[in-house]
Amino acid sequence: MDYLAEKFKRLGIDNAPGQETRQKTENMEIRGEKLAGPEVNFSHGDVDAHIPTPGSLELFIEGFKKGGCVAYTEYRGGASIRENVAAKLAKFTGAPIDPDNELIITPGTQGALFLALGCLVGRGDKVAIVEPDYFDNRKLVEFFEGELIPVKLDYLGQDSCAGVNLPALEESFKQGVKLFLFSNPNNPTGVIYSQHEIEIIAALAKKYNVILMVDELYSRQIFDNHPYTHLRALANKSDNMLTIMGPSKTESLSGFRLGTAFGAKWIIDRMEKLQAIVTLRAPGYSQHVLRCWFDEPEGWLADRIAQHQKIRDDLVDVVRSHEGCKVRKTDGGSYIFPSLPPMDVSISSFAKIVRQLTGVTITPGTEFGPQFTHSFRVNFSQNHNDAIDAVKRVMTIMERYRCK
Amino acid sequence: MDYLAEKFKRLGIDNAPGQETRQKTENMEIRGEKLAGPEVNFSHGDVDAHIPTPGSLELFIEGFKKGGCVAYTEYRGGASIRENVAAKLAKFTGAPIDPDNELIITPGTQGALFLALGCLVGRGDKVAIVEPDYFDNRKLVEFFEGELIPVKLDYLGQDSCAGVNLPALEESFKQGVKLFLFSNPNNPTGVIYSQHEIEIIAALAKKYNVILMVDELYSRQIFDNHPYTHLRALANKSDNMLTIMGPSKTESLSGFRLGTAFGAKWIIDRMEKLQAIVTLRAPGYSQHVLRCWFDEPEGWLADRIAQHQKIRDDLVDVVRSHEGCKVRKTDGGSYIFPSLPPMDVSISSFAKIVRQLTGVTITPGTEFGPQFTHSFRVNFSQNHNDAIDAVKRVMTIMERYRCK
C-alpha cells in the first residue's frame, strides 16, 4: 500500500459528526427495548430550532441580484465585504485589522483551518494541539504530515480557568513546536481560557518563536458574563498569529459556508494562494450575507445566549443526577462533554447503540483524543425540550451498560 | 527558507484570472493614448450578460426554507440531491452512476479538482498534464509535490481533433505516469478531443494502468454540432477514472460554488474524507440549486449556445484580420486562445499594458504553460458588442508593440 493509501486509511470519518447515516450496522449487543422520543442529532446545532440571523436570506438575494461583482470576488473575498467585516471583527476582538492584507474570507471556518494548516504545517513540523480539542485539528496535522504534540487540558479539575497544562505546553515549545493551535471557548468542553492562561501562552510563544492560531468560533456565545480574553488584543502578542471566526454556530448560518481568518499578512497571503487552488473563493453570493454579522437586531444575541444557557443548565442537571457522571458547566459555546462511568461497551459502540435504541446521535469522545474513552460530546443548540428528553434517554441507555 | 515557504513562493497568483485588482503597478513602457470603451474582464464570464439559469435563486430560497436538512448534509452532499444529479449526469454522459458511492458534490469544480489531486497525487508521483490546459492543474500537481510531465497539444495544427501528441502521451505512460488529467473541451483553446483520441487515451490508460481524470466543465456548450465523446461511456474505459463537471460556466451559477465529481468508488471515498477536513461540504443551501441543472426551460441551452457561437465567430474574425495573428475556432466552451506576432514586451507585461490603456482584462498565455509567450486567453461569455469592441482595442494595442 502506498503512503497516500495509508494516509487516507488513517483519515477516518466513520464516527465523524454528520456521517452517521453512512455507518455500517455491526453486531452490537443490544440490551432492552427502544426508547421512544424525538430524534435529536447532537452532532451539530439545529438551525430549525435556532434559526439563522434575521435578514441573512434577504442579503443573499440582494447579493445574487447585484450579480457578477458579487459572484466573482478576489480569492480572499470581496473588497467591500472585507472592509465591512474587518471593522466589526477589530471592534469585537479589540485590535485593528487591515482589510486589504490581514483578513481572508473562507468557506466556513473549516476552510480557514484547512488553509491555515496547509500554509503552516510541513512534513515533520511539530504542532502542539490541546486534548481534547476540535477533532479535525488532529486530522489536519496528520494530513499535512506534521508531528502532533498533545497538551492536556484538565477541564474537569478547574473552574476558574480552562486548565491547560502550561508546563507541558512550555516543554513542547522547547522541543521545537512550530505552531500551537487551540479553540477558545474549547470544543468540546466549552471552557474558556483565563486571562492568565492567554497571557502565558502569548509570552511563551514570543519566547520560543511559536506561531499561534486560535479558533474563536464560539466567542460570541458566552454564558454568565464569563470574562473572555482575545489573544490578539494582548499588548505582548506575537506578530505571527492568526484568529479564526465565523457565523456558522451562534448565528446558525452554516448553510451559507462562511468563515474568516485574520492575522499576520504573510499567513493571509499564503492562505489566499492556497484558496485559489482549493475552492477559488468562498461562495460569492454568501459572502454578501456577512453584512448582517455583528449587526443583528437589538437584543437578538442576548436572547440567543439566554436560551442556550437554560438548555445547558437543564442538561448539566440531567447528567449530574447519574452516579459517577461528571460534566463541567459550559463557559461558552454550545457543547457539553460529559464523562461516564465504566461501561461494558466502548464509547463508539455506545454511540451506535444509543442511535439504534433512541434515535439520538452523540459524538464519541475518542474523536477528540484517544484517551476520551468515557466521554461524549453534545451540541445543545437544539429544541430545549427535545434536548432534555434525548439526554435523559442517553443516560438511561448508559445505565443498561454500566459495569456491575 | 523552508520548503513550505519555497512552495508558496512558487504558487503565484499575481497573474491569475480575477486577481488583477491586486497587481502592483510597475514601470511599463506605455505607448500612445488610452483607448475609450467598455471595461471588459475576459478572465471569467459575465453573469450579468448571460444570467444564471432561470429558477436557480428560487431553489436556493426553497433550500434555505427547508432548513437544517439542507444546511447540514453528509460531507459528499445531500442524499436526495446526489440521486437527482447522478441520474441526470448518467444520462448526459452515457453511463450509469451510483449516487451513494460514485458521486460527490463539491464547492465548485475547483473543489473537485483539488480533492481529486489531493487523493491521487503524492510526493514524486508522475502526473501527465496537457499544455496548454487549465492553469491550476499545474499548480495542484506542484502543491502536492507530484512530478509534472507535460504533453503537447498541437491545437493550431489540426481541425478534426484536439491535436494531443499521442506518442508523447504513451511515452509518458511508459515512464510510470500515475495520473493523466485533461480538460475536454480544452481550456484555454476550446478544442474537443476526437473519438479516436479519447479511445486511444482509454486504451493506453488500460495498458499502462494509469488513472484518468477528465474535466468536462464545458461539455454542454458545444458549437456547430461538433461530435463529443465522453470518456466514461467507452466500453473499454478504465475502472480507475473520474469525471468532473459543474454548473459554473454555461449555466452561470458560479456564485453558488457548485461542482461534482463522479467515478470510481475508491476515489470518491477518499475525496469525501478530504472534503471533511477542507470545507466539510459544498454549501448546503446551494446544493439544492443543482435541481435546476440539466432541467432548464425548453430551448434555453440551444439559445445560450447560439449566442456564444455568434460572439465566437465575430471575435475570431477580429483576431484573424491582423497579420500574423492566429486563433483556432472554439469547438466548445467560452474560450479563445489567440496567438500574436512577436512584440517588444512580454505577454504578461502586455496584459498589464492592455489593462491600463483599455480597461480590458486578458489572461497571459504563460499561465497555461511556460511556452505560451505569445498567446492570451479570452473568456467570451460577455456582452456581444462589448466583447468585440474590447478585443478590437486589444489588437490595436498589439499593433503598437509589434516588433518592427
Side-chain angles (χ1 to χ4, degrees):
Chain A
M1 192 157 58
D2 65 35
Y3 87 98
L4 262 189
E6 279 171 25
K7 183 192 272 195
F8 277 90
K9 203 175 172 190
R10 283 195 305 274
L11 201 64
I13 52 171
D14 292 347
N15 292 309
Q19 291 300 99
E20 295 79 6
T21 53
R22 293 192 72 84
Q23 278 171 3
K24 290 169 195 71
T25 47
E26 293 169 15
N27 290 330
M28 291 183 291
E29 194 215 326
I30 296 296
R31 297 182 186 170
E33 296 300 307
K34 289 192 178 182
L35 298 178
E39 286 198 3
V40 175
N41 187 342
F42 283 123
S43 75
H44 57 74
D46 180 354
V47 298
D48 300 330
H50 304 276
I51 62 172
T53 320
S56 53
L57 177 62
E58 289 71 16
L59 278 167
F60 184 93
I61 295 169
E62 184 180 289
F64 177 88
K65 290 186 174 160
K66 279 176 182 278
C69 61
V70 173
Y72 287 91
T73 70
E74 291 167 55
Y75 299 144
R76 62 177 63 203
S80 68
I81 295 291
R82 276 186 280 117
E83 200 172 326
N84 175 292
V85 170
K88 297 185 294 192
L89 287 171
K91 189 176 168 199
F92 176 69
T93 60
I97 300 166
D98 171 0
D100 276 342
N101 294 305
E102 296 178 339
L103 174 75
I104 184 169
I105 298 170
T106 57
T109 51
Q110 184 69 47
L113 273 175
F114 180 82
L115 297 177
L117 269 73
C119 294
L120 299 174
V121 182
R123 279 192 298 288
D125 283 342
K126 288 179 178 162
V127 182
I129 297 269
V130 172
E131 284 186 354
D133 208 321
Y134 178 50
F135 51 87
D136 271 351
N137 293 355
R138 294 162 58 233
K139 291 181 188 176
L140 284 163
V141 174
E142 283 180 17
F143 180 74
F144 291 113
E145 302 176 40
E147 184 188 339
L148 200 142
I149 313 279
V151 176
K152 298 277 182 294
L153 186 76
D154 182 22
Y155 59 98
L156 284 171
Q158 311 289 333
D159 58 9
S160 63
C161 64
V164 65
N165 190 325
L166 292 170
L169 187 69
E170 177 160 14
E171 188 50 45
S172 79
F173 285 12
K174 274 187 195 160
Q175 284 170 33
V177 155
K178 181 180 181 187
L179 171 71
F180 174 47
L181 164 61
F182 67 108
S183 57
N184 184 25
N186 173 262
N187 174 351
T189 66
V191 302
I192 291 178
Y193 288 70
S194 67
Q195 181 169 348
H196 174 72
E197 286 175 313
I198 295 293
E199 283 173 350
I200 299 291
I201 288 168
L204 291 175
K206 273 218 152 173
K207 182 171 176 189
Y208 296 100
N209 196 24
V210 172
I211 303 168
L212 292 179
M213 206 173 132
V214 52
D215 172 354
E216 300 193 350
L217 185 53
Y218 264 120
S219 58
R220 295 187 77 197
Q221 188 173 307
I222 306 293
F223 303 124
D224 311 306
N225 294 312
H226 196 287
Y228 185 94
T229 307
H230 290 283
L231 176 56
R232 66 185 306 274
L234 294 188
N236 72 335
K237 74 156 170 49
S238 162
D239 293 331
N240 293 322
M241 72 159 290
L242 194 72
T243 307
I244 282 175
M245 273 193 79
S248 288
K249 301 293 188 185
T250 305
E251 303 82 355
S252 299
L253 301 182
S254 178
F256 293 101
R257 284 289 76 207
L258 288 165
T260 66
F262 41 106
K265 177 182 185 299
W266 70 272
I267 303 177
I268 300 293
D269 283 346
R270 281 195 190 178
M271 287 174 74
E272 182 180 43
K273 285 184 173 190
L274 187 49
Q275 179 139 292
I277 61 170
V278 175
T279 60
L280 290 179
R281 59 181 68 81
Y285 305 137
S286 289
Q287 289 182 38
H288 203 66
V289 175
L290 286 171
R291 291 186 186 274
C292 69
W293 197 27
F294 288 93
D295 200 19
E296 299 87 2
E298 179 86 27
W300 178 89
L301 184 63
D303 191 51
R304 181 145 292 199
I305 291 172
Q307 286 174 31
H308 283 80
Q309 190 160 329
K310 277 186 204 157
I311 302 171
R312 175 201 67 171
D313 290 344
D314 287 353
L315 289 188
V316 164
D317 287 347
V318 171
V319 172
R320 288 182 178 165
S321 72
H322 287 257
E323 196 189 324
C325 293
K326 283 179 263 183
V327 63
R328 180 157 162 194
K329 212 175 238 196
T330 317
D331 297 329
S334 294
Y335 298 116
I336 54 171
F337 195 57
S339 168
L340 303 179
M343 295 188 290
D344 296 334
V345 291
S346 72
I347 194 70
S348 63
S349 295
F350 178 69
K352 286 173 188 164
I353 289 166
V354 161
R355 192 154 188 272
Q356 187 158 332
L357 286 177
T358 69
V360 174
T361 304
I362 56 175
T363 306
T366 41
E367 287 287 301
F368 304 90
Q371 69 272 47
F372 302 103
T373 52
H374 291 76
S375 304
F376 65 96
R377 190 190 72 173
V378 159
N379 182 322
F380 61 78
S381 187
Q382 310 287 345
N383 172 285
H384 190 132
N385 294 335
D386 289 356
I388 309 307
D389 190 272
V391 167
K392 281 182 179 167
R393 281 177 285 146
V394 173
M395 300 308 279
T396 303
I397 303 298
M398 180 277 291
E399 293 294 353
R400 292 184 191 170
Y401 290 85
R402 189 196 278 271
C403 290
K404 299 300 173 200
Chain B
M1 190 159 58
D2 66 34
Y3 87 98
L4 262 189
E6 279 172 25
K7 184 193 271 196
F8 277 90
K9 203 173 173 194
R10 281 196 306 272
L11 202 64
I13 53 171
D14 290 346
N15 292 310
Q19 291 300 100
E20 294 79 8
T21 55
R22 293 192 71 83
Q23 280 171 1
K24 291 169 193 72
T25 46
E26 292 168 16
N27 290 329
M28 291 183 291
E29 193 216 326
I30 296 296
R31 298 183 186 170
E33 296 300 306
K34 289 193 179 183
L35 298 179
E39 284 198 4
V40 175
N41 187 340
F42 283 124
S43 74
H44 57 73
D46 180 354
V47 299
D48 301 331
H50 304 276
I51 62 173
T53 320
S56 52
L57 178 62
E58 290 70 18
L59 279 167
F60 185 93
I61 295 168
E62 185 181 288
F64 178 88
K65 290 186 174 160
K66 279 177 181 280
C69 61
V70 173
Y72 286 91
T73 70
E74 291 167 54
Y75 300 143
R76 62 177 63 204
S80 68
I81 294 291
R82 275 186 281 117
E83 201 171 326
N84 175 292
V85 170
K88 297 185 294 192
L89 288 171
K91 189 176 167 200
F92 177 69
T93 60
I97 300 166
D98 172 0
D100 276 342
N101 294 305
E102 295 178 340
L103 174 75
I104 183 168
I105 298 170
T106 57
T109 50
Q110 185 67 47
L113 273 174
F114 180 82
L115 297 177
L117 269 72
C119 292
L120 298 174
V121 181
R123 278 192 298 288
D125 283 341
K126 289 179 178 158
V127 181
I129 298 267
V130 172
E131 282 185 354
D133 208 323
Y134 178 50
F135 52 87
D136 271 351
N137 293 356
R138 295 161 59 230
K139 292 181 186 175
L140 285 163
V141 174
E142 282 179 17
F143 180 75
F144 291 113
E145 301 176 41
E147 184 188 337
L148 197 141
I149 314 280
V151 175
K152 297 276 182 297
L153 186 75
D154 181 22
Y155 59 99
L156 283 172
Q158 309 289 335
D159 58 8
S160 62
C161 64
V164 64
N165 190 327
L166 292 170
L169 187 69
E170 176 159 14
E171 188 49 45
S172 79
F173 285 13
K174 273 187 194 160
Q175 285 172 31
V177 155
K178 182 181 181 187
L179 171 71
F180 174 48
L181 163 61
F182 67 108
S183 58
N184 185 23
N186 173 262
N187 175 351
T189 66
V191 301
I192 291 177
Y193 289 70
S194 68
Q195 181 168 351
H196 174 71
E197 286 175 313
I198 295 292
E199 283 174 351
I200 298 289
I201 289 167
L204 290 175
K206 274 218 151 169
K207 182 171 175 189
Y208 296 100
N209 196 24
V210 172
I211 304 168
L212 292 179
M213 208 172 130
V214 52
D215 173 352
E216 300 193 350
L217 185 52
Y218 264 121
S219 58
R220 295 187 78 197
Q221 187 173 307
I222 306 293
F223 303 125
D224 311 306
N225 294 311
H226 196 288
Y228 186 93
T229 307
H230 290 283
L231 177 56
R232 66 187 305 276
L234 293 189
N236 72 334
K237 74 158 169 53
S238 161
D239 292 333
N240 293 322
M241 72 158 290
L242 194 71
T243 306
I244 282 175
M245 272 192 82
S248 287
K249 301 294 188 183
T250 305
E251 302 82 356
S252 299
L253 301 181
S254 178
F256 293 102
R257 284 287 78 207
L258 288 165
T260 65
F262 40 107
K265 176 181 186 298
W266 70 272
I267 303 177
I268 300 293
D269 283 346
R270 281 194 190 179
M271 288 174 74
E272 182 179 41
K273 286 184 173 189
L274 187 49
Q275 179 139 291
I277 61 170
V278 176
T279 60
L280 290 178
R281 59 182 69 79
Y285 306 137
S286 288
Q287 289 182 38
H288 202 66
V289 175
L290 286 171
R291 291 187 186 275
C292 70
W293 198 26
F294 288 94
D295 200 20
E296 299 87 3
E298 179 86 25
W300 178 89
L301 183 64
D303 191 51
R304 181 145 292 200
I305 291 172
Q307 286 175 30
H308 283 79
Q309 190 161 328
K310 277 185 206 159
I311 302 170
R312 175 201 67 170
D313 290 344
D314 287 352
L315 289 187
V316 164
D317 287 347
V318 171
V319 172
R320 288 183 178 165
S321 72
H322 287 257
E323 196 190 323
C325 294
K326 285 179 260 181
V327 63
R328 182 158 160 191
K329 211 175 238 195
T330 316
D331 297 329
S334 293
Y335 299 116
I336 53 171
F337 195 57
S339 167
L340 303 180
M343 295 188 290
D344 296 333
V345 290
S346 72
I347 194 70
S348 62
S349 295
F350 178 68
K352 286 172 188 164
I353 291 166
V354 162
R355 192 154 187 272
Q356 187 158 331
L357 286 177
T358 68
V360 174
T361 304
I362 57 174
T363 306
T366 41
E367 287 288 300
F368 305 90
Q371 69 273 48
F372 300 104
T373 52
H374 292 77
S375 304
F376 66 94
R377 190 190 71 173
V378 159
N379 182 323
F380 61 78
S381 187
Q382 309 288 344
N383 172 284
H384 190 131
N385 293 336
D386 289 356
I388 309 306
D389 190 272
V391 167
K392 280 182 180 169
R393 281 178 285 147
V394 172
M395 299 308 280
T396 302
I397 304 299
M398 179 276 292
E399 294 294 353
R400 294 185 190 168
Y401 290 86
R402 188 197 281 269
C403 289
K404 301 298 173 198

